[in-house]
């Protein structure tokens, strides 16, 4: 989960992820890890950004205002 401390949508995302009992690693958008993701082509323009790594590939799952319904569907809950 790529976030920023001054992002109100990031607070909403944290709440949705807690509701779904999804554990995530949170990364600040200004951190070296986030910069590395951006250099790999991961769009970090609309925060927060939820990423998933499967079989070594990173995909964007959600960004901006998270939808609990959509995430339930994506993670089959």
């Amino acid at each position: 989960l790529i976030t920023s401390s001054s992002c109100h949508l990031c607070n909403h995302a944290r709440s949705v992820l807690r509701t779904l009992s999804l554990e995530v690693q949170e990364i600040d958008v200004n951190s070296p890890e986030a910069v590395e993701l951006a250099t790999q082509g991961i769009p970090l323009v609309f925060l927060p950004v939820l990423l998933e790594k499967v079989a070594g590939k990173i995909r964007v799952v959600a960004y901006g205002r998270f939808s609990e319904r959509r995430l339930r569907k994506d993670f089959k809950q």
Side-chain angles (χ1 to χ4, degrees):
L1 178 65
I2 312 299
T3 63
S4 170
S5 60
S6 61
C7 167
H8 72 282
L9 291 177
C10 297
N11 293 331
H12 172 76
R14 288 181 194 100
S15 176
V16 169
L17 295 170
R18 266 192 310 273
T19 298
L20 297 174
S21 298
L22 294 175
E23 292 186 33
V24 298
Q25 175 188 359
E26 196 165 328
I27 300 171
D28 186 270
V29 71
N30 296 312
S31 73
E33 290 173 282
V35 171
E36 176 62 27
L37 289 167
T39 61
Q40 293 175 24
I42 303 297
L44 302 179
V45 178
F46 300 109
L47 295 177
V49 179
L50 182 62
L51 305 172
E52 179 181 45
K53 189 174 187 177
V54 177
K57 293 188 179 189
I58 298 173
R59 78 175 182 105
V60 175
V61 176
Y63 61 89
R65 185 167 176 82
F66 287 14
S67 163
E68 181 180 336
R69 176 192 249 176
R70 182 168 164 256
L71 288 176
R72 279 189 191 282
K73 190 176 185 180
D74 283 350
F75 291 105
K76 297 177 177 88
Q77 289 193 339

